[in-house]
Amino acid sequence: MRQPYDLSRRGFLISGTAAATLGALQAPVLAQEKVFRLGALNSITGIGGPYGPYMLEAIKIAVNEVNEAGGAAGRKFQLFAEDDQTKPEAAVLAVKKLVEINKVEAVVGIWPSSVGLATMPITNDANVITMNTCGAPEMLTENKKGLAWMFQASNAIFGNAFAEVARQRGFKRPAVMAFNNSTFVGQANYFKNAWESGGGKVEAFVIYEPNQSSYRTELARVLATKPDVISLSAYRPDATIILKEWFQTGQDCKFIMPGWTANEDLVKALGKEATEGLISISNVAADKHEAYKRFAAAFRKVAKREPDIFAAQSYDMVITLALALEAAGPQADVAGVNGKIRSVTGAGGTRVNGFAEGRDLLRKGEKVDYEGASSRLDFGKHGETVPDFGVSDIRDGKLVLKETIPGKLPA
């Protein structure tokens, strides 16, 4: 049976060549139309490999939806895709190609904060809109031109949510382990600050370097303090090693982890016994929204699986951008399109669940509020939005949702 994706670098390059050939075939038609040149910068390989290919697929689904409806403000999307390899240095080269050679007007699908922070100076200098799922708090302060839009909760908010759940579950002696990058160190620090502001004490705070074959030394430092819960800010590869080594010690404690790591794929890697009782906290897709239901049905046909939160957010990026383009009009420049993003997602307009529905109302002069597949999209002053948080336990190898906490933007 043919697999839906080839996650290898070679596979991505072949796919990119095919896309380039298609673009060449379409050139005479595109030359007669005014298009919107859209870049997709995804983590197809590297640590982001489990997520990036599905994010790109979601972007393609949204692009097809807009183009099949005739485009936004009469402009169809022309898509250019690059692999950032989940590495800042590779991302810089990739985004320069998108900006300088492909002349894109927006870049969507940026996954890790390290890539977002590395590429933002380049896109800012070129006055290019970017949309991402980055969580590092620095993404907010570095968004100096207001051209970057965060569809994932800042890890400042994640860290606070971890601490809140730990308190609600009655834990008294938390410890922290975190992967050494801007996203997870930020999450760890905010957990520590939130816990200590409530009068508690963090028993151990360990930042570890990635790409190790063993984390026994770092884990031993944490376990020596006898924590009752460990806030583990990690990606799946390192979390798999850490949890395996913890399970081998036989020491009793719980773990709170981000949902993109603590999920059923982690169970497949470690087995039911080692993952039983893990607490998973993640932004959750708005599965009750009609936008999600429509998107998920299209996604399943291609990917043969349910979309994760990152795929839903990537879909929303394109639909949001298309509605902003429609609202700005056919002659609008990038600044004009960027200036309409809040107006097509904020409260006060008619709620819409897809591009064509929103476009038709905009053409009648009405306001719209796109209710996304990933969440409601009420952007804060730094371009950030906060989807709801789902708190789940892993029980008998399955992720069981216990509660949903409404996301809150910082004051």
Side-chain angles (χ1 to χ4, degrees), residues 316-331:
D316 281 344
M317 293 175 194
V318 179
I319 300 302
T320 297
L321 187 63
L323 289 171
L325 177 57
E326 180 68 42
Q331 304 305 318

Side-chain angles (χ1 to χ4, degrees), residues 11 55 88 100 136 154 170 175 188 215 239 243 277 290 294 299 305-306 342 351 381 396:
M55 294 173 72
E100 297 171 6
S154 161
Y215 298 93
L243 287 169
E290 287 302 317
R294 184 186 299 114
F299 186 87
R305 59 173 281 173
E306 293 295 319
R342 280 190 177 86
R351 289 188 177 180
K381 62 181 179 180
D396 193 30

Side-chain angles (χ1 to χ4, degrees), residues 7-249:
L7 298 184
S8 69
R9 175 67 175 158
R10 181 174 178 272
F12 186 74
L13 288 171
I14 291 171
S15 182
T17 302
T21 302
L22 180 60
L25 291 173
Q26 291 177 333
V29 176
L30 294 175
Q32 297 170 22
E33 300 177 339
K34 188 176 181 184
V35 299
F36 189 95
R37 300 169 75 86
L38 178 64
L41 184 62
N42 299 112
S43 297
I44 303 298
T45 56
I47 290 172
Y51 316 106
Y54 297 109
M55 294 173 72
L56 178 58
E57 199 58 61
I59 289 165
K60 290 155 105 179
I61 289 169
V63 165
N64 288 338
E65 180 181 327
V66 173
N67 287 351
E68 287 173 5
R75 299 172 67 180
K76 291 188 176 181
F77 284 127
Q78 186 176 13
L79 183 63
F80 302 87
E82 291 291 330
D83 178 12
D84 62 36
Q85 302 174 47
T86 330
K87 296 178 180 177
E89 58 274 18
V92 166
L93 294 176
V95 84
K96 282 184 176 179
K97 180 183 176 186
L98 290 171
V99 170
E100 297 171 6
I101 297 175
N102 301 132
K103 307 294 184 184
V104 300
E105 298 161 87
V107 176
V108 298
I110 297 171
W111 180 68
S113 298
S114 58
V115 166
L117 290 168
T119 56
M120 196 183 298
I122 298 165
T123 53
N124 273 351
D125 285 348
N127 293 313
V128 168
I129 297 167
T130 62
M131 294 179 166
N132 63 71
T133 64
C134 303
E138 294 89 346
M139 289 293 298
L140 308 182
T141 56
E142 292 304 307
N143 187 18
K144 293 180 169 55
K145 281 195 170 184
L147 290 166
W149 301 87
M150 277 62 76
F151 283 68
Q152 174 82 349
S154 161
N155 277 296
I157 301 169
F158 257 105
N160 290 335
F162 275 35
E164 179 182 344
V165 170
R167 280 199 191 92
Q168 290 176 353
R169 296 289 181 101
F171 295 113
K172 305 295 184 184
R173 296 176 54 81
V176 173
M177 286 188 73
F179 183 105
N180 190 10
N181 70 4
S182 55
T183 293
F184 285 137
V185 171
Q187 187 180 103
N189 281 324
Y190 277 96
F191 176 93
K192 182 175 184 289
N193 293 341
W195 188 264
E196 291 179 346
S197 68
K201 175 188 174 185
V202 171
E203 302 299 325
F205 189 91
V206 175
I207 306 299
Y208 63 87
E209 297 302 321
N211 303 318
Q212 299 184 52
S213 60
S214 173
Y215 298 93
R216 283 191 175 89
T217 300
E218 295 90 341
L219 181 61
R221 288 168 53 197
V222 172
L223 294 179
T225 65
K226 307 292 189 207
D228 55 4
V229 66
I230 298 173
S231 172
L232 179 59
S233 298
Y235 293 121
R236 195 183 307 149
D238 42 298
T240 301
I241 297 170
I242 291 168
L243 287 169
K244 182 179 180 180
E245 293 176 341
W246 159 75
F247 187 68
Q248 290 170 345
T249 70

